Amino acid sequence: MKESFIRNHTLYLVCSLVVVVGSHLLTVVDTVTNWWHVLICMLLSLLPKARVVFPVHKPSSDYHPAILVTGTSSGIGHDTAIALASKGFTVFAGVRRWEDGARVENDFLDSIKPQTIYKNRWARPSWVERLLANIHRSLGATEEQPEPEASSDDEATIVPQTVTSRRLRRRKQRSQAVNGKTEHFDPNAVSARDQSAPEYEQLVRETGSIIPVILDVADKKSIDGAFDKVSEELEKRGIPLVGLVNNAGVTASGPMDIAATSFIDYCMAVNFAGPVGVAQKFMPLLRASSGRIVNVSSIMAWLIGPGFGVYCASKAALSAASRAWHFELANSGMSVSVVEPGLTRTALWKKLEAELQFHHSRLNGLPLRRRRSAEQIDDESGRESPVAMPGDEAVATPSSSPATPANEPERSENQTLYDPMIRRIQTSNELAPIFALPTHHAVGAILHSLTSSYPKSTYRVGWDARWMSLATWLASEEVVEWVCRVIGIVSDN
C-alpha cells in the first residue's frame, strides 16, 4: 500500500513538472507565432484588397475604453476580466448572480494592492516593454550630462521607470553612502516604503475597473437589461465600447441518440445562440467604435470526440459563425476572432461528473431526483447544469441512485452499449486536470486579439490543439482516429 502511494504521488509530481515546463515553453512558442503572424500581415497589408490591419484602442491613465466579457464567474472569463482591467480597460463583467460579480471585482482589487500588483503579470510591463524602456533610458543617458547623487531628502522624489529589487537595492545603497550609514540593507523596509512611491501610483492610475452586469446569454430580457446598463455607464463615463468577449458556455456530455431535446436546446442556446444574440444586440455600439468581437470556442469544435456530440456541435457552430462574421465585418473596420482552447485548468472538470451521473441514470432507466446545488453551477456561464432537464421525469428518493446495487434493474441494451464510453469519459475526467494548462494561455490569446493591430482570425491554444491540428493536416482523419484508439482516447467498446 505504501509503495503504491509513493508510486502514484511520484507519477503525479512528474506529470505536474512536465506541465509546468511545457507551459513555459508554450508561452515562448505563442510569442514567436504571434510575431510571425504580425510579420506576415505587415507584408500582406502592402497588397491590394488586404483587410489585416485594424484600429487599436490603447488605454492610458486618463482613457479607459470598455469591453464586455460574458461568463466571468470563474475560469477563463474570470481571469480575462481581471487581465483586461489590469491593462487599463473598463470591464463589464457579465454574471448571473450579484455575488459572483462582487467576487470578480474583489479579486481584481486584491490583484492591484501594493503587495500584489508587482506580481500581477497583466499589470506590470512585459519584458519587451521593459527592454525598450531600458534602451530608451540608455540612449537618453548618453545625451544628457550626469546628474549629481541625490540626497536622502530628495530621494523620495525620484521616479524610477521600472521597479525591481536590484534597482531598489542600489538606490538604498546610494542613500546610505551619502549619509555615511553602513547598517544592514533591509529589503522589506524598502518595499514597504516603495509601496507609496510615485511609480505605484502611476500603475494604479493606468489600471481600469470592473463593473458587474447581470447577463444570462440564453435570456433575451437579460441581454436587453445588460445593454441598457452598459449604455448608461458608457454615456456617464464618456467612453466607447471597443470589445466583446463571448466566453459564456456550458459543457454537455452523453450519447447522441439518447440525448433529450431539452438537453440539446439548452446546450445550443448557451454555447451558440446566446453569443450570437449578445453580439447582435451590442453591434451598434461596437460598429460605432470599430470594435472587436472574440468568441471563445473549443478545440472540440473540430476535434470531435465520442460522448460529446452535442457540445462539439454547439462549439462548431460558434466557430463557423465567427469565421463568417470575420469576413462580413472586415470592411467596417471590425475584427472578429475565435479562440479554441484545449485542456485548460478550470473548475469545469468538477461539473462533468454530475452530467455523467445524469446520463448513466437514463441508461439504467432509473428515476432521477432533481438536485440543485452550488457545485452544479457551470464554470463559465454560471448556468445550472442540466442534471435534470425540463421534460425529464424528476421524482425519486435518494435510494434510486445508480450507485445503489439493490435497486439496479437488469442491464438494458443502451447501458450495455454505452457503459464503456461513459467509463472512459469518467477516467479522462479524473486525469485531464493533471495535464491541463493554466488559463493564462487562453487569456493571452484573448488579449492579443483585442489589442494587436494584426489580430488572428483563429487562435488555437495549448499543446493538444497545436499537435492535433498539425497531425490532422499532415495525415488523414482516419490516421488520427487510429492513434486515438491506440492511446485509449476513443474506445472500441
Side-chain angles (χ1 to χ4, degrees):
M1 184 68 180
K2 183 178 180 180
E3 295 178 356
S4 176
F5 176 82
I6 295 176
R7 182 173 62 253
N8 293 337
H9 279 70
T10 302
L11 181 61
Y12 174 78
L13 292 176
V14 170
C15 294
S16 300
L17 178 62
V18 170
V19 171
V20 171
V21 175
S23 177
H24 287 290
L25 292 176
L26 183 61
T27 301
V28 177
V29 172
D30 291 339
T31 303
V32 172
T33 54
N34 288 339
W35 285 351
W36 176 254
H37 171 77
V38 170
L39 177 61
I40 296 297
C41 289
M42 290 177 65
L43 297 176
L44 185 61
S45 62
L46 302 177
L47 301 177
K49 297 186 178 181
R51 293 290 185 273
V52 293
V53 185
F54 295 92
V56 180
H57 296 267
K58 293 185 178 181
S60 62
S61 58
D62 55 355
Y63 176 63
H64 303 282
I67 295 179
L68 172 63
V69 184
T70 65
T72 61
S73 59
S74 62
I76 295 176
H78 172 275
D79 295 347
T80 298
I82 294 178
L84 289 172
S86 300
K87 287 292 185 180
F89 291 97
T90 300
V91 180
F92 292 100
V95 292
R96 296 185 68 247
R97 301 182 303 177
W98 283 117
E99 49 266 34
D100 292 335
R103 178 166 49 80
V104 177
E105 189 175 11
N106 291 334
D107 290 345
F108 167 67
L109 295 177
D110 290 340
S111 69
I112 60 173
K113 288 181 177 179
Q115 302 89 337
T116 57
I117 191 170
Y118 302 119
K119 299 179 181 179
N120 186 341
R121 65 187 306 132
W122 310 113
R124 65 174 186 263
S126 64
W127 67 272
V128 176
E129 295 172 340
R130 293 196 298 269
L131 177 62
L132 295 177
N134 290 333
I135 295 175
H136 179 72
R137 278 200 308 276
S138 300
L139 295 177
T142 58
E143 298 175 357
E144 299 178 358
Q145 296 293 331
E147 298 180 358
E149 293 287 343
S151 63
S152 59
D153 295 334
D154 59 3
E155 180 193 5
T157 62
I158 298 177
V159 183
Q161 299 298 322
T162 58
V163 181
T164 61
S165 59
R166 182 180 300 176
R167 185 176 181 88
L168 294 177
R169 188 179 294 109
R170 289 201 301 264
R171 195 169 74 177
K172 183 67 175 181
Q173 290 173 349
R174 289 198 303 268
S175 175
Q176 292 174 352
V178 171
N179 297 329
K181 299 179 181 179
T182 58
E183 67 268 15
H184 178 67
F185 171 70
D186 185 6
N188 294 328
V190 176
S191 300
R193 180 200 63 188
D194 198 71
Q195 289 174 4
S196 59
E199 60 269 15
Y200 169 70
E201 298 177 359
Q202 177 66 22
L203 285 177
V204 172
R205 285 196 299 269
E206 292 179 353
T207 59
S209 59
I210 290 183
I211 304 175
V213 176
I214 296 298
L215 176 57
D216 184 351
V217 299
D219 186 356
K220 187 179 183 303
K221 292 183 179 180
S222 179
I223 296 176
D224 295 339
F227 178 81
D228 296 337
K229 171 68 175 179
V230 171
S231 300
E232 179 182 353
E233 287 292 334
L234 293 177
E235 184 178 358
K236 182 187 305 182
R237 296 169 180 259
I239 55 177
L241 181 69
V242 301
L244 166 64
V245 180
N246 277 314
N247 171 76
V250 292
T251 184
S253 63
M256 285 286 295
D257 60 343
I258 65 169
T261 302
S262 55
F263 178 81
I264 299 175
D265 293 342
Y266 170 84
C267 182
M268 295 298 293
V270 178
N271 290 352
F272 171 64
V276 172
V278 173
Q280 290 176 337
K281 185 65 178 180
F282 286 87
M283 187 64 69
L285 298 178
L286 295 170
R287 195 185 297 273
S289 63
S290 296
R292 305 188 180 188
I293 300 176
V294 181
N295 293 324
V296 180
S297 181
S298 170
I299 182 181
M300 300 187 75
W302 50 272
L303 185 63
I304 312 301
F308 291 91
V310 178
Y311 178 79
C312 293
S314 63
K315 290 299 185 180
L318 181 61
S319 295
S322 302
R323 293 184 176 94
W325 249 336
H326 172 77
F327 293 109
E328 294 175 359
L329 300 177
N331 291 333
S332 301
M334 298 181 60
S335 168
V336 180
S337 302
V338 57
V339 179
E340 298 176 345
L343 287 177
T344 306
R345 192 176 303 154
T346 66
L348 182 68
W349 304 103
K350 299 179 181 179
K351 321 301 178 183
L352 190 59
E353 185 63 28
E355 291 185 2
L356 294 176
Q357 293 178 359
F358 165 73
H359 288 290
H360 196 276
S361 300
R362 288 175 59 89
L363 292 177
N364 287 343
L366 296 175
L368 183 68
R369 184 168 67 95
R370 185 182 298 271
R371 305 178 183 90
R372 300 294 187 190
S373 63
E375 294 183 355
Q376 293 171 0
I377 301 300
D378 184 78
D379 163 53
E380 297 175 352
S381 69
R383 292 184 61 86
E384 294 179 348
S385 299
V387 176
M389 294 300 303
D392 292 320
E393 295 297 331
V395 288
T397 61
S399 61
S400 62
S401 170
T404 308
N407 294 335
E408 187 171 340
E410 297 181 359
R411 296 174 64 85
S412 64
E413 180 181 355
N414 282 337
Q415 180 184 1
T416 305
L417 183 61
Y418 291 116
D419 261 0
M421 184 185 70
I422 292 181
R423 287 197 300 268
R424 177 189 54 77
I425 297 176
Q426 290 174 330
T427 302
S428 302
N429 185 39
E430 296 175 357
L431 297 177
I434 301 176
F435 299 97
L437 292 173
T439 58
H440 67 77
H441 294 285
V443 174
I446 295 174
L447 287 178
H448 186 270
S449 64
L450 290 170
T451 59
S452 175
S453 299
Y454 304 94
K456 297 181 181 180
S457 58
T458 303
Y459 293 81
R460 288 180 177 171
V461 182
W463 287 115
D464 49 353
R466 292 184 177 273
W467 285 117
M468 295 306 294
S469 176
L470 181 62
T472 305
W473 177 69
L474 293 176
S476 66
E477 294 184 0
E478 283 70 20
V479 175
V480 176
E481 179 182 343
W482 174 79
V483 174
C484 293
R485 292 185 184 278
V486 170
I487 63 180
I489 297 179
V490 178
S491 63
D492 290 327
N493 286 347

